[in-house]
Amino acid sequence: MNYRLTCLTPTLVGDGQKLAPIDYMVWKDHVNVLNQKRIFRLLAKGPRLDGYLNQLKKSEKLDFASWGGFAQNYAGRRIPFEHSSSTQFWERAHAENLFIPTFATGPSGPYLPGTAIKGALRTALLQGLLATKQFADFSARVSPEGRLARHPAAAVEEATLGSAGSDSLRFLSAADSATIAENVFKIYLLRVSTLEARGGGKFELAWKQAPRGNSKRAEDSTPMFAEMAAPGTTFEGSWHESEFLAKSRRKTHLDRGAVFGMVNAATGEMLRVHGQYASWTGLPNLKASIARLEAKLGEVQQNHAGCVFPIGWGGSFFSKVAFLNTADPAYRDILKQVGFYARAIQSGLPFPKTRRVIFEGNQPATLPGFVHLEIK
């Protein structure tokens, strides 16, 4: 069997690599990734090598006036911005915000790692199986005066999905996808939205600025850039299911249909939460995008045509946790013990109050990483 994974929104499954501002130059609304080895060989033949090395060592960006010809003639890749307006925001941004995460790439080209699919399915399945009572019991065992264990949820996860030898998803395996063409990728502009209290239980939209502070105008917030596969991009690879492992060492039998059903249910709840957030922020394009995802999910469920879920970078807090109801008192008690989240919980605002929002046509448009998985 084979799988086909189709990107419904711009998607980035990275390999941990980023383009530094000295690795590329922006020219004609494209990110031109420099072939540094070729440039070094060329400059080694003349007196300009020392000047180029000094600029790489000291500068935050390459001086286009001096080295712009390299963007035209010595670029290994040319990745277009999603919209020409992104160029002006790139030019105004600080260098520390211009490190561009890139899609996973091997010797033969860009591909989708099979582990990314399996990990996303595992998280969604855990969301579908975990009971509210388990969080309440866990919260009761956490002392407010004490300190959380290093991996406090490991026991809960193991009790829900099984240990390594009896893992609920052990019977499924997805191989790395075949490589795809590089021309499906674009550099997307993202900004982080947030909520501010307006009184009377209402909220208003603001945009995050680094290192701290908010702005009412999106143009004044801190931009981010990422190489992402455009909607409609498909990845295909091998898919294997073991009937023996599906039935062994588990009290309940889970087949592919049951797993995909739970994944879709978890995604439906996640989209409901995102839809509420879009209503609070008053972003019409974002709300319309989430409505389209909900319609696609309904179509997939009705036709039993696989599952929809978030994958990869930028998928928000909800794509990485096992429990989606952040208003649950027991859940909030647990999060208060985590220093990274404690202040946000104590604010009384909906949690999480931020989202990474992808801009399309210079307008806040959609959320990253939603995909549709089918088995052929």
Side-chain angles (χ1 to χ4, degrees):
M1 290 185 290
N2 294 313
Y3 68 80
R4 174 182 294 171
L5 185 141
T6 304
C7 299
L8 303 178
T9 64
T11 301
L12 166 59
V13 178
D15 52 7
Q17 301 298 313
K18 293 182 179 181
L19 293 174
I22 59 172
D23 292 330
Y24 66 89
M25 300 183 79
V26 172
W27 182 62
K28 289 190 174 180
D29 300 327
H30 283 63
V31 167
N32 295 266
V33 183
L34 301 179
N35 187 334
Q36 297 286 19
K37 290 184 178 179
R38 187 180 177 195
I39 291 172
F40 290 155
R41 287 197 299 267
L42 171 70
L43 295 181
K45 300 175 182 179
R48 302 183 69 195
L49 180 59
D50 287 343
Y52 185 69
L53 292 176
N54 283 334
Q55 184 160 141
L56 288 179
K57 182 178 179 180
K58 299 178 181 179
S59 300
E60 295 180 336
K61 302 179 186 178
L62 287 174
D63 178 17
F64 195 89
S66 301
W67 310 104
F70 291 157
Q72 305 171 45
N73 302 311
Y74 298 97
R77 294 183 62 198
R78 292 183 171 88
I79 317 170
F81 280 118
E82 180 276 330
H83 191 261
S84 59
S85 63
S86 297
T87 302
Q88 61 177 309
F89 298 118
W90 182 90
E91 291 172 345
R92 299 194 328 234
H94 296 294
E96 61 266 25
N97 300 316
L98 298 180
F99 287 77
I100 301 176
T102 55
F103 209 90
T105 303
S108 301
Y111 70 100
L112 179 69
T115 52
I117 299 175
K118 189 75 174 286
L121 290 176
R122 180 181 175 84
T123 300
L125 181 61
L126 185 58
Q127 292 168 350
L129 289 174
L130 197 62
T132 303
K133 185 177 183 301
Q134 289 176 277
F135 261 102
D137 294 342
F138 178 74
S139 178
R141 296 195 301 269
V142 175
S143 171
E145 295 80 17
R147 193 166 53 176
L148 282 177
R150 184 179 294 272
H151 302 291
V156 177
E157 181 178 351
E158 184 173 315
T160 305
L161 293 180
S163 60
S166 58
D167 189 287
S168 298
L169 279 181
R170 192 179 173 204
F171 75 102
L172 297 180
S173 60
D176 294 345
S177 77
T179 55
I180 63 172
E182 294 180 339
N183 60 8
V184 304
F185 298 102
K186 296 179 182 179
I187 302 296
Y188 284 86
L189 168 66
L190 301 94
R191 300 181 188 273
V192 178
S193 65
T194 188
L195 295 175
E196 293 183 341
R198 196 172 63 182
K202 297 183 179 180
F203 310 99
E204 61 182 13
L205 171 68
W207 298 93
K208 299 291 287 185
Q209 293 177 315
R212 59 176 57 89
N214 300 329
S215 170
K216 298 299 182 184
R217 285 164 38 93
E219 294 82 0
D220 297 331
S221 64
T222 302
M224 294 182 292
F225 301 91
E227 179 190 27
M228 311 183 86
T233 302
T234 59
F235 298 88
E236 296 184 352
S238 298
W239 178 272
H240 178 70
E241 299 177 14
S242 169
E243 184 177 353
F244 171 76
L245 291 176
K247 295 180 179 179
S248 66
R249 303 183 68 180
R250 293 298 295 168
K251 296 179 181 179
T252 57
H253 172 61
L254 283 177
D255 58 12
R256 186 211 312 162
V259 170
F260 283 7
M262 291 183 188
V263 171
N264 284 330
T267 301
E269 176 61 18
M270 189 184 306
L271 290 175
R272 185 194 66 78
V273 175
H274 286 319
Q276 177 64 71
Y277 184 87
S279 298
W280 284 332
T281 58
L283 295 173
N285 291 347
L286 179 60
K287 189 171 184 178
S289 171
I290 294 172
R292 289 194 295 271
L293 289 172
E294 289 177 321
K296 178 65 176 180
L297 174 62
E299 176 187 333
V300 167
Q301 290 175 308
Q302 182 177 355
N303 297 329
H304 303 286
C307 57
V308 175
F309 56 91
I311 192 172
W313 179 86
S316 85
F317 176 86
F318 294 110
S319 67
K320 301 174 178 64
V321 297
F323 198 66
L324 298 177
N325 183 15
T326 59
D328 182 84
Y331 194 21
R332 295 177 77 89
D333 286 342
I334 295 172
L335 292 175
K336 286 178 184 177
Q337 310 304 312
V338 183
F340 188 75
Y341 299 126
R343 186 175 178 182
I345 294 295
Q346 292 168 359
S347 70
L349 291 169
F351 180 83
K353 64 179 181 179
T354 61
R355 300 290 192 279
R356 282 194 180 108
V357 179
I358 296 175
F359 278 58
E360 295 180 338
N362 199 26
Q363 296 296 320
T366 191
L367 300 174
F370 279 91
V371 298
H372 174 210
L373 177 68
E374 302 173 273
I375 307 302
K376 301 294 185 180

